[in-house]
């Protein structure tokens, strides 16, 4: 049997795209190496639904988030958590933007912003914080999102195969693509989409296809019980080597992340140096929580009352050019080394809508 489309990777991107393509017609298969959908980076992250505030150095990323986030919130309302106040504080030193620049950026992209109430402002160290704003930014519950996308896939008739990895892809003489699975089985499809995020290049290397330049980081986000005053609040200090603390719905806790201390090590994929299996997940280093909370308390003294419960460890992957301006563009590489084979990578849930537009252009379908 020749399927119309086959997707490798059952995270947010793979699951969303599989359901979208199946609704347009044709047999669709989704492969996920893990035991459940959204089991890795789609769940093990800060869960922030970006509305644009986080990207004052990348106008395009801010605008795209501002346009896409309301659509995500409307479509997946049951997965959204927004019953908390979110404060953005601008650092006085080492920040890439001033308070006035941040405010103008928000106005340019149409993102609502107001001065934080005085009771919130008083929580911050005025020697290190120039201004504090309150913004309407939410998080998502990845467990609920996985359940919702599972229902969407079933309704669309997608053949979801959990515990099944796509290892390599090749093209037959008739133009059909064949994907070899980890159990040796071979599936045929007219189009194949590689949506495996940090493991994108493993499929490429095994198939003799070009390596996509990517930067990876072994990251730690501490799961904490927040100070009582911030139990129903999120805090982000912008825009430099600072920290964020946001509600993490699946655990009823907060994530504490830090630009300097969340990454433990980094490496890059490149044609000349790529080596498969270079994953440091087995031997985790000592937690950076003491460093995170000590530095965070300089800006917000009551952070000293945070109690670490656990840590979330995952590989974060970005395009190297994003290091320059903190942008988060989507990568959609069409016909990547083989006609009909496409690879996709993004770093935010709202990026999925940009991905769907690219996919629709492949067949000339109307973009909603």
């Amino acid at each position: 049997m020749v399927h119309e489309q086959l997707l490798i990777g059952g995270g947010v991107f793979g699951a969303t795209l599989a359901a979208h393509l199946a609704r347009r017609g044709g047999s669709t298969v989704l492969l996920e190496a893990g035991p459940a959908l959204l089991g890795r980076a789609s769940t093990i992250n800060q869960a922030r639904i970006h509305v644009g505030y986080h990207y004052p150095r990348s106008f395009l990323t801010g605008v795209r988030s501002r346009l896409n986030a309301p659509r995500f919130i409307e479509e997946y309302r049951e997965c959204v958590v927004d019953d908390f106040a979110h404060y953005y504080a601008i650092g006085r030193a080492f920040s890439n933007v001033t308070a006035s620049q941040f405010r103008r950026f928000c106005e340019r992209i149409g993102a609502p912003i107001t001065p934080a109430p005085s009771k919130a402002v008083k929580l911050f160290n005025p020697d290190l914080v120039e201004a504090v704003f309150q913004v309407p930014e939410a998080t998502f519950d990845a467990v609920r999102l996985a359940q919702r996308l599972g229902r969407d896939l079933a309704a669309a008739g997608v053949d979801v195969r959990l515990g099944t990895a796509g290892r390599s892809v090749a093209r037959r003489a008739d133009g059909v693509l064949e994907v070899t699975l980890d159990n040796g089985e071979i599936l045929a499809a007219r189009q194949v989409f590689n949506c495996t995020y940090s493991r994108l290049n493993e499929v490429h290397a095994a198939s003799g296809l070009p390596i996509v330049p990517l930067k990876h980081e072994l990251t730690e986000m501490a799961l904490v019980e927040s100070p009582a005053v911030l139990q129903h609040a999120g805090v982000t200090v912008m825009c430099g080597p600072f920290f964020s603390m946001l509600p993490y719905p699946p655990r009823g806790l907060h994530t504490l992340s830090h630009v300097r201390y969340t990454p433990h090590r980094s490496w890059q994929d490149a044609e000349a140096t790529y080596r498969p299996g270079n994953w440091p997940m087995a031997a985790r280093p000592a937690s950076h929580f003491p460093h995170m909370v000590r530095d965070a308390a300089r800006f917000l003294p009551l952070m000293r009352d945070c109690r670490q419960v656990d840590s979330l460890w995952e590989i974060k992957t970005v395009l190297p050019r994003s290091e320059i301006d903190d942008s988060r563009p989507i990568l959609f590489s069409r016909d990547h080394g083989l006609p009909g084979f496409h690879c996709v990578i993004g770093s935010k849930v709202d990026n999925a809508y940009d991905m769907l537009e690219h996919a629709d252009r492949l067949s000339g379908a109307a973009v909603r």
Side-chain angles (χ1 to χ4, degrees):
M1 177 181 181
V2 178
H3 300 283
E4 188 63 31
Q5 48 252 337
L6 182 148
L7 299 93
I8 309 172
V12 168
F13 273 47
T16 302
L17 182 57
H20 179 76
L21 294 174
R23 292 187 195 106
R24 290 193 341 209
S27 174
T28 303
V29 178
L30 175 63
L31 308 177
E32 167 51 43
L37 296 172
L38 278 64
R40 289 289 304 272
S42 294
T43 293
I44 307 173
N45 61 63
Q46 201 175 36
R48 186 194 303 262
I49 301 175
H50 287 277
V51 187
Y53 301 105
H54 216 62
Y55 302 104
R57 293 187 292 144
S58 175
F59 179 77
L60 180 59
T61 301
V63 167
R64 293 306 303 171
S65 293
R66 179 67 188 135
L67 293 174
N68 288 332
R71 180 176 173 185
F72 177 88
I73 291 170
E74 179 182 1
E75 187 167 356
Y76 300 103
R77 181 68 250 182
E78 73 271 26
C79 309
V80 174
V81 176
D82 57 5
D83 59 348
F84 62 94
H86 196 167
Y87 304 116
Y88 268 70
I90 310 302
R92 286 193 182 276
F94 303 110
S95 176
N96 293 301
V97 296
T98 65
S100 61
Q101 288 172 335
F102 181 69
R103 186 188 299 106
R104 286 198 300 271
F105 167 76
C106 293
E107 292 170 351
R108 287 182 66 200
I109 66 171
I113 181 172
T114 58
S118 59
K119 65 179 182 179
V121 175
K122 291 176 180 177
L123 300 176
F124 292 84
N125 179 355
D127 293 331
L128 297 181
V129 172
E130 179 187 359
V132 184
F133 301 98
Q134 184 167 348
V135 304
E137 198 169 57
T139 57
F140 65 91
D141 187 321
V143 173
R144 292 182 182 178
L145 184 59
Q147 294 169 346
R148 164 62 189 276
L149 288 174
R151 294 193 297 270
D152 290 349
L153 290 164
V158 177
D159 178 7
V160 178
R161 303 193 184 187
L162 301 176
T164 306
R167 295 302 182 191
S168 63
V169 59
R171 188 168 184 260
R172 299 191 322 208
D174 62 0
V176 171
L177 297 174
E178 291 186 333
V179 176
T180 301
L181 312 186
D182 53 352
N183 61 6
E185 182 183 358
I186 296 177
L187 298 178
R190 302 189 191 285
Q191 291 194 97
V192 174
F193 297 82
N194 182 4
C195 306
T196 53
Y197 188 56
S198 59
R199 294 187 178 272
L200 199 75
N201 283 320
E202 289 193 358
V203 176
H204 298 167
S207 308
L209 301 176
I211 298 301
V212 177
L214 296 173
K215 179 182 178 181
H216 307 284
E217 293 177 341
L218 172 61
T219 62
E220 176 195 11
M221 284 182 295
L223 279 176
V224 302
E225 290 181 349
S226 71
V229 175
L230 296 175
Q231 187 174 359
H232 299 289
V235 175
T236 299
V237 181
M238 296 286 287
C239 165
F242 307 131
F243 75 97
S244 290
M245 186 178 71
L246 291 176
Y248 188 70
R251 298 283 295 272
L253 298 166
H254 280 62
T255 56
L256 175 60
S257 61
H258 195 289
V259 170
R260 181 176 291 137
Y261 299 117
T262 284
H264 278 253
R265 61 162 293 196
S266 65
W267 66 100
Q268 294 200 18
D269 291 347
E271 284 285 358
T273 60
Y274 178 75
R275 297 291 183 274
N278 184 23
W279 300 101
M281 292 291 286
R284 295 173 181 171
S287 173
H288 279 175
F289 171 74
H291 304 293
M292 294 183 194
V293 75
R294 188 161 47 243
D295 190 66
R298 296 192 305 121
F299 299 86
L300 189 58
L302 55 77
M303 289 294 292
R304 297 189 185 96
D305 297 332
C306 278
R307 186 180 78 85
Q308 183 181 22
V309 177
D310 198 356
S311 283
L312 300 174
W313 297 86
E314 188 50 278
I315 304 297
K316 175 184 176 181
T317 299
V318 297
L319 301 174
R321 67 177 182 269
S322 295
E323 297 294 296
I324 299 173
D325 60 3
D326 200 35
S327 62
R328 291 295 182 269
I330 184 176
L331 168 71
F332 193 103
S333 182
R334 178 176 181 173
D335 298 327
H336 187 79
L338 291 173
F341 178 68
H342 322 293
C343 63
V344 183
I345 190 169
S347 58
K348 305 184 287 89
V349 290
D350 64 89
N351 276 152
Y353 294 112
D354 296 327
M355 168 193 64
L356 298 184
E357 290 186 4
H358 283 284
D360 283 340
R361 293 189 187 105
L362 289 175
S363 62
V367 178
R368 293 188 303 162

